[in-house]
Amino acid sequence: MSEIESNINVLIVDDHQIVIDGIISMLSTNKRFVVKNFAHTAEEAWALISVNSHDYDLVITDISLAGKTGIRLCREVKNLDHRIKVLILTMHNDVACVKEALACEADGYLLKNNGRDDFLRALDSLIERGSCFSHEIVPLLYQEVNQSRLKQPDVKLTHREQEVLELILLELTSREIAEKLFISKQTVDSHRISLMEKTGSKSVVGLIKYALRNHLIDIN
């Protein structure tokens, strides 16, 4: 693959120019990413994307913007061109915002308190593995799951897979799940593989996204 073909074309959306300048500066240290444009509002960003979505591979947006939110922009971008990755970069670390972002199929959710190295590593993870989330985010979801129960899903999961999924979402290890369900660790690992395949997930975060998207978790 040539350097041109491997470039990730980026659109930055933030209402603070100093934040945009900071992101541009960080991305300038990684030739993989090319900042094609920036916008201060979701409306400005949508005007750019809707003309030719193929100009962009990655949208980095805050949630709080004048006018439409970054969450709404994410939904519109995904509806237009699902190929485009959307990274939410924000100071909002409450579970409601995270759930809303996941429901809109955001590919990543990072907090602005991350440093340059963490930010660049997260972007590499987003491109290589399809998702990236600040380490503070997953515990927020686990806390919510820990206070709820899985609903009976309208998907083709066996009863045992349903049990294993619930315990995975509670962050139990395969060994802990095996002990709790009185089955072998190998059996748990087999159920993990089956769940990943059936839900199209690549990680525990993927399973969380799947559970939320399909209303398998009752979170008020």
Side-chain angles (χ1 to χ4, degrees), residues 164-191:
V164 171
L165 175 58
E166 179 177 356
L167 296 175
I168 288 174
L169 295 179
L170 295 177
E171 210 171 5
L172 272 66
T173 66
S174 290
R175 189 170 300 282
E176 290 170 335
I177 294 173
E179 293 175 354
K180 192 172 186 66
L181 298 180
F182 303 103
I183 57 179
S184 70
K185 178 180 176 299
Q186 290 77 12
T187 299
V188 174
D189 289 336
S190 294
H191 287 310

Side-chain angles (χ1 to χ4, degrees), residues 104-213:
C104 293
E105 299 188 69
D107 301 284
Y109 196 107
L110 292 181
L111 299 181
K112 285 183 175 179
N113 60 8
N114 281 279
R116 181 180 66 88
D117 291 343
D118 288 338
F119 175 71
L120 293 176
R121 277 195 296 267
L123 286 185
D124 282 334
S125 175
L126 177 61
I127 300 305
E128 297 293 341
R129 291 184 283 277
S131 65
C132 65
F133 292 82
S134 289
H135 62 83
E136 301 98 333
I137 296 305
V138 174
L140 287 176
L141 293 174
Y142 281 134
Q143 289 171 14
E144 294 296 313
V145 173
N146 203 28
Q147 298 171 13
S148 64
R149 299 288 296 177
L150 284 175
K151 294 181 178 180
Q152 183 64 33
D154 187 23
V155 292
K156 294 181 179 179
L157 298 182
T158 67
H159 176 70
R160 183 63 82 187
E161 287 171 341
Q162 173 77 4
E163 291 180 318
V164 171
L165 175 58
E166 179 177 356
L167 296 175
I168 288 174
L169 295 179
L170 295 177
E171 210 171 5
L172 272 66
T173 66
S174 290
R175 189 170 300 282
E176 290 170 335
I177 294 173
E179 293 175 354
K180 192 172 186 66
L181 298 180
F182 303 103
I183 57 179
S184 70
K185 178 180 176 299
Q186 290 77 12
T187 299
V188 174
D189 289 336
S190 294
H191 287 310
R192 278 182 179 270
I193 294 172
S194 177
L195 285 167
M196 295 291 186
E197 291 176 347
K198 286 185 176 182
T199 63
S201 304
K202 297 180 180 179
S203 65
V204 173
V205 170
L207 288 175
I208 293 173
K209 291 173 68 175
Y210 176 85
L212 288 170
R213 187 169 62 248

Side-chain angles (χ1 to χ4, degrees), residues 3-72:
E3 182 178 350
I4 294 178
E5 291 174 329
S6 63
N7 282 343
I8 306 299
N9 295 319
V10 182
L11 171 63
I12 303 169
V13 190
D14 199 286
D15 56 355
H16 293 92
Q17 187 62 45
I18 193 170
V19 173
I20 293 174
D21 292 342
I23 296 173
I24 291 174
S25 177
M26 288 188 289
L27 292 181
S28 68
T29 65
N30 188 328
K31 294 182 179 179
R32 184 180 200 181
F33 298 96
V34 177
V35 178
K36 298 289 289 187
N37 221 323
F38 64 83
H40 296 108
T41 67
E43 287 83 359
E44 290 176 7
W46 179 247
L48 293 169
I49 297 170
S50 60
V51 171
N52 192 348
S53 64
H54 292 286
D55 284 347
Y56 305 100
D57 305 301
L58 171 63
V59 174
I60 301 175
T61 181
D62 196 356
I63 290 178
S64 299
L65 300 167
K68 291 191 298 187
T69 67
I71 296 293
R72 182 172 172 184

